[in-house]
Structure formats: C-alpha cells, structure tokens
Amino acid sequence: MSDSTGFPNSADLQERAAALDSADGLAKHRELFALDDEGIYLDGNSLGALPRHVPERMADVITRQWGEMRIRSWDESGWWAAPERIGDRIAPLVGAAAGRIVAGDSTSVNVFKAVVGAVRLAPEARDEILVDASTFPTDGYIAESAARMTGRRVVPVAPEDLAAALGPRTAVALVNHVDYRTGRLQDLPGLTAAAHAAGALTVWDLCHSAGALPVGLDAHGVDFAVGCTYKYLNGGPGAPAYLYVAQRHQAAFDSPLPGWHSHVDPFGMTPGYAPADGAARGRVGTPDILSMLALEAALDVWEGVAVEDVREKSLALTDFFLECVDSYAPAGRVTSVTPAPHHERGSQVSLRCEDGVDAGEVMRELIARGVVGDFRRPDVLRFGFTPLYVGFADAERAARELGQVLRRLAGEDLGEARA
C-alpha cells in the first residue's frame, strides 16, 4: 500500500533516515554551513557550501588587513607564508606530512607543473605520458601541451588498462583518483605501486576525492598530486588549488613555471633563478590573497574531524540513496553508473537516464523542487554527497523527488503529496 507520497515503503525509508541521522556523529557539522532548511544541496562535488564564519573572517581581511595595514600585512598578517601554511592544513586531509604541499594557482596550472616536473625526472628513453582516457578534459589538454614541451607523446588508456599499459617507455601516469562523471574510485595504492615497479612516476588528480575519503599520499608513495579546494574542502568558487611533491623528489623538482615567489631569495631580485627548498619550490607569482585566506578560514570546519569518519558516512549515505532510488524510481528510467563495491566508489552517485529521459530536464525540475545536483551531457545525473552537511533524510527526499519527477515526465499520476 502507498502512503501520502504515492510510494510504497516511503514511511519505512523516512523512519530509517531519521534514525540514521539521530545516530550520526557528523550531523552537528551542518550548523557550520550557510544552508537553508528547505533545500537539499547535492552539488558539493562541484562547489562546496559556504562555511558560516567565512564572511566575518573575510571582512577582517578586507577592512583591517588590506584596508588599514595594507603592505604591512605581507609580514604582519602572514600573507607571504600563506601558501605553505595552508598547504600544511590541507596535508592531513590527504595523508601528507607538513612541508609537502603548497597552495596556490589553479588545478590546471598545478597539473602542468606536476606533469612536466615528473617528466623532467625521467630518462629520455621514457617518452610516453599515460593519461586516464576518461580524465577530466583539462587534464588531457594540459598533458598534451606538456608532451609537446618535453618531446614526449600522450598515450590515452582506459583506467582499467593502466596497470597493464605501464612499461619501459612510461615516464609518468596522470590519473584521476575519482572519475568526475561516474564517481568511480581508482586504485591509487595499486596503480602507484605498479608504476614504480615499471620505473615510472605518478601524478594523481584529487579534485573529487580530497575531503571525501582517505587518500594516503605519503603512505602509498605517491610522487606528485594536485587538487582543487572548492569542492569537498569548501574553499569557495575559484579557490586556490594545491600541489603535492613527495619529499624524495623536492630537491630535484624542476618546475616549468619558475617565478620569483619560488626563488630561494625572492627579494634579491637577481636575474638568475635559484629554486627554494621544500614545498615553496611549487610557488610561482603573487598568490590571490583574498581567495587564499577565504580558503584558510573555510578549513576551520575540519577541526576535530577524522577523514575516516567522513568516508564511513559517505558510503552509508550513497548506499542509502541508491536503495531509495531503487524503491522510488520507475523501472528502466535510470541506471546507476557508479560502482556498487565500496572500494570502487567515491562520494557521488551518477545515474544514467534511459528510455529517452532528458537528463537536463530532470535536473532542472529537481532544482525547482529544491534538490540541487547537476548533470553531464548527454544523459548523466550527478548527486554529490558531502558528509559534513548532507544527511540521510536529504538522501531519502532527493530520491523521492527524483521518482516523482520521472513519473511525471512519463505521464504517470501519483497523486503526489510534496514533503
């Protein structure tokens, strides 16, 4: 029998969601974010929500540090050291020790630094750059440019074939930790070990994993990694990205973008370039201080939070959402392209629309109903689950609204009662 929502089992799923939310140790963190009570935000895998305290912190940066102290703030307010300081705050979230991450520039710029820097560490005979064939497009564009610059060639490889494709000609493998379209989690420890066994290096793109699951850069011997901070790290639109260089590579890391901020004596203003030691070698020019300090403030929400707990909740949320979708969505209308096994899943669920269903229309109506996700052409709906502010009741309602939209578009009358 159906309840007032028009769905069988709806009451049971809502009761379970309420019980799961009551037992959720991370639920209190939702209060730290500027979110309305009515909407459900499932697009944190594109842009994280605003931590409530950031505007007040930025008001001080703008009015006092910039407005009153002006140039003195480079020293007295710690602006100069911000890239390394913030890198050290990101480090524990991705399993890195202090001094191995520098924040600044965009992900694309850092991919370029990392790929060229890795290739320059490889012997000339290693003339291939392996690239995940399903990578986010910019990574592929950057890899092609890096290949032209270094006299190498790009070899696109399906993620499942990467380990087998590694060989004596491989200089570096550029891989996305989590596929942006499907949410598939790649085997970072296994692929890194396979690359090293083949004499190659790795560059990992962490944009869709940092802040959602443990990464273990140091523990797994990763060579280079890059990532953005405006998704699960909630740094704000266009927030600075970051670059990780393993300690064993730092002394030999030859950045293709040597700027005065990465000079060993930046204020010496000498014509010859001599690189700084450590993470500072990844800097280029003057950083975007306003965005940098907004990111620093946003990272406060991670105080006392274990990434392992975030991962546990993420998997529980996505499991529950998939169960609700299976209950609410009409058969044959959507199919999950996100892997079911936990070791293959990031923190999003991607559903492929079938049977002529227009994914763009579905998402537009969901957003009108207060459920914000996104879609990737031509047919994929994406729902990102940020455990610090998404709950189980959110997952249940989002799936229920999706079921109602799919049925309405098919001309079915549920006599639905909106919650």
Side-chain angles (χ1 to χ4, degrees):
M1 175 180 291
S2 300
D3 63 10
S4 61
T5 68
F7 293 107
N9 302 324
S10 179
D12 175 63
L13 289 170
Q14 290 181 52
E15 288 176 8
R16 285 178 54 201
L20 288 166
D21 281 332
S22 294
D24 175 20
L26 294 176
K28 61 184 179 182
H29 287 82
R30 181 186 175 93
E31 301 172 359
L32 302 178
F33 294 88
L35 294 163
D36 58 81
D37 293 332
E38 300 301 320
I40 298 172
Y41 190 64
L42 300 181
D43 209 9
N45 55 324
S46 288
L47 177 64
L50 169 70
R52 290 186 185 276
H53 68 280
V54 170
E56 181 179 357
R57 190 80 60 82
M58 291 309 296
D60 176 72
V61 170
I62 292 169
T63 60
R64 185 180 64 84
Q65 295 182 30
W66 178 18
E68 298 174 13
M69 298 177 69
R70 294 178 286 278
I71 197 71
R72 292 163 46 210
S73 279
W74 283 103
D75 290 324
E76 296 178 35
S77 298
W79 289 1
W80 184 269
E84 290 84 8
R85 184 176 70 243
I86 296 169
D88 285 348
R89 294 193 64 184
I90 294 169
L93 301 177
V94 292
R100 298 177 189 179
I101 292 179
V102 63
D105 302 314
S106 68
T107 305
S108 301
V109 171
N110 284 315
V111 168
F112 182 70
K113 295 179 202 171
V115 171
V116 173
V119 168
R120 287 176 171 174
L121 290 172
E124 288 293 329
R126 292 187 173 270
D127 62 350
E128 294 182 348
I129 301 173
L130 298 192
V131 177
D132 168 2
S134 59
T135 188
F136 189 77
T138 290
D139 285 16
Y141 306 156
I142 294 292
E144 288 282 0
S145 179
R148 292 193 300 272
M149 180 177 179
T150 59
R152 266 67 170 185
R153 69 187 186 96
V154 168
V155 179
V157 181
E160 62 271 21
D161 298 328
L162 274 167
L166 293 160
R169 297 182 64 178
T170 308
V172 59
L174 170 62
V175 192
N176 278 251
H177 196 194
V178 173
D179 185 277
Y180 78 100
R181 184 182 294 273
T182 67
R184 177 180 291 275
L185 174 66
Q186 307 298 346
D187 180 9
L188 181 147
L191 284 172
T192 300
H196 291 169
L201 301 179
T202 56
V203 175
W204 284 92
D205 184 328
L206 309 179
C207 285
H208 288 84
S209 59
L213 51 90
V215 177
L217 293 178
D218 287 349
H220 300 307
V222 168
D223 301 293
F224 297 89
V226 301
C228 65
T229 61
Y230 50 79
K231 301 183 192 303
Y232 296 110
L233 297 182
N234 312 295
Y242 56 90
L243 170 68
Y244 166 89
V245 181
Q247 187 175 36
R248 65 187 179 279
H249 295 312
Q250 287 183 355
F253 174 54
D254 182 7
S255 173
L257 296 172
W260 73 287
H261 271 238
S262 62
H263 197 286
V264 67
D265 182 17
F267 291 96
M269 303 297 173
T270 58
Y273 179 73
D277 293 328
R281 189 171 291 204
R283 294 177 69 155
V284 184
T286 305
D288 184 338
I289 287 296
L290 298 184
S291 290
M292 189 77 72
L293 298 185
L295 165 62
E296 183 172 34
L299 291 171
D300 287 354
V301 301
W302 289 94
E303 292 181 6
V305 175
V307 178
E308 291 76 13
D309 293 339
V310 171
R311 176 60 168 167
E312 182 180 359
K313 181 179 175 182
S314 165
L315 291 171
L317 276 170
T318 49
D319 278 343
F320 185 63
F321 178 70
L322 285 166
E323 180 185 349
C324 292
V325 169
D326 187 60
S327 180
Y328 292 145
R333 303 289 171 77
V334 293
T335 302
S336 176
V337 295
T338 300
H342 285 181
H343 69 279
E344 297 179 3
R345 188 193 311 168
S347 197
Q348 72 183 58
V349 171
S350 296
L351 304 175
R352 174 166 288 125
C353 291
E354 309 286 357
D355 195 27
V357 176
D358 185 331
E361 184 176 3
V362 172
M363 187 53 67
R364 284 189 290 273
E365 183 159 339
L366 281 174
I367 291 172
R369 289 166 171 250
V371 178
V372 178
D374 66 14
F375 83 101
R376 288 293 178 263
R377 292 184 292 180
D379 55 9
V380 174
L381 304 169
R382 297 196 317 167
F383 301 92
F385 290 83
T386 305
L388 291 187
Y389 55 75
V390 174
F392 293 90
D394 296 327
E396 184 277 330
R397 183 186 150 199
R400 179 159 34 93
E401 295 282 6
L402 173 62
Q404 291 171 345
V405 169
L406 292 171
R407 282 174 163 79
R408 189 196 69 75
L409 293 176
E412 299 178 21
D413 181 12
L414 270 177
E416 67 186 67
R418 295 281 304 285

